[in-house]
């Protein structure tokens, strides 16, 4: 749900959006910094030359991040970091992101998507009211929202409350249960292949 929500926002965002999907290889902070520069370059061409040149010459990653932040001064951009949980327990990566948080220009909005709460220095941002957090409770659909979702997709909203409970409020889960069969939940448990087919139609088919 969180990635779908942010992807929808990114399509309509009033500023350029640089999107970087992290994986376990990004625990290597040099690879991470190059990847970050590549994402920013796609959103704002011509802004990452000094940072990439510094990396190529062997400069520390924090120095390259500093150069990148300098070129983003007064250039509004949102940086989305997806699957941030891959950096859990990686002290070097966390230190790099703390550096970015501390020195980022006001024109840079940072959006972090994670399945766990990142170990970052958020306290100062929260104290200055510069931090917004959305969790599972905020993203979960209640019975009324599930009913509206089913109706919007031309599906019977009658069992919406049951689907919301059994899916934990997961919107795609509500749709999967409604579309599977009259006895949808039992059908889904017995037919993993059908579940994957639905997931493919809902999520994977929309990807480039």
């Amino acid at each position: 749900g969180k990635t779908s929500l942010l992807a929808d926002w990114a399509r309509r965002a009033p500023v350029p959006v640089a999107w970087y999907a992290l994986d376990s290889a990004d625990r290597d902070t040099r690879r991470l910094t190059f990847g970050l520069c590549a994402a920013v370059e796609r959103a704002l061409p011509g802004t990452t030359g000094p940072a990439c040149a510094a990396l190529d010459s062997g400069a520390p990653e924090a120095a390259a991040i500093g150069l990148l932040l300098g070129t983003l001064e007064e250039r509004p951009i949102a940086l989305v970091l997806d699957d941030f949980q891959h950096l859990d327990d990686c002290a070097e990566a966390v230190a790099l992101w703390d550096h970015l948080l501390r020195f980022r220009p006001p024109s840079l909005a940072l959006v972090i998507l994670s399945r766990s709460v990142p170990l970052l220095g958020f306290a100062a941002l929260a104290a200055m009211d510069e931090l917004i957090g959305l969790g599972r409770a905020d993203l979960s659909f209640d019975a009324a929202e599930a009913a509206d979702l089913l109706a919007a997709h031309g599906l019977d909203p009658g069992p919406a409350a049951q689907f919301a409970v059994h899916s934990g409020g997961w919107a795609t889960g509500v749709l999967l249960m409604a579309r599977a069969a009259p006895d949808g939940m039992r059908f889904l448990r017995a037919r993993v292949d059908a579940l994957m087919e639905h997931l493919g139609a809902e999520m994977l088919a929309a990807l480039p």
Side-chain angles (χ1 to χ4, degrees):
K2 57 189 183 300
T3 299
S4 299
L5 176 67
L6 260 296
D8 182 62
W9 170 82
R11 285 191 288 270
R12 300 175 285 107
V15 297
V17 177
W19 191 295
Y20 189 55
L22 296 138
D23 58 36
S24 56
D26 287 305
R27 296 170 73 86
D28 176 346
T29 54
R30 200 149 197 88
R31 180 188 190 278
L32 174 62
T33 307
F34 270 117
L36 175 61
C37 288
V40 172
E41 183 67 23
R42 286 192 295 271
L44 287 176
T47 56
T48 64
C52 289
L55 286 172
D56 286 335
S57 66
E61 290 87 337
I65 290 292
L67 289 169
L68 176 63
L69 295 179
T71 62
L72 295 179
E73 286 279 358
E74 300 181 4
R75 300 195 67 171
I77 184 173
L79 173 60
V80 176
L81 303 170
D82 200 356
D83 287 329
F84 199 88
Q85 72 276 357
H86 287 295
L87 302 186
D88 283 353
D89 303 322
C90 181
E92 295 83 0
V94 169
L96 191 66
W97 289 115
D98 271 332
H99 180 81
L100 187 147
L101 276 172
R102 188 174 299 114
F103 297 108
R104 80 196 192 291
S107 56
L108 172 62
L110 187 62
V111 183
I112 297 175
L113 292 86
S114 180
R115 292 175 183 158
S116 58
V117 178
L119 299 175
L120 296 175
F122 289 134
L125 295 177
M128 293 184 289
D129 200 25
E130 293 185 2
L131 177 71
I132 296 174
L134 297 175
R136 182 186 297 273
D138 302 291
L139 299 176
S140 296
F141 278 40
D142 60 24
E145 291 165 336
D148 290 341
L149 175 68
L150 293 176
H153 284 263
L155 299 166
D156 177 16
Q162 179 189 17
F163 293 158
V165 169
H166 284 284
S167 69
W170 179 37
T172 300
V174 170
L175 292 173
L176 289 173
M177 290 178 183
R179 289 174 173 162
D183 59 344
M185 284 173 284
R186 194 165 37 171
F187 174 79
L188 286 178
R189 289 194 193 104
R191 292 289 309 280
V192 175
D193 58 329
L195 176 60
M196 293 307 297
E197 183 179 342
H198 279 289
L199 281 173
E202 284 292 322
M203 302 167 70
L204 301 181
L207 297 175

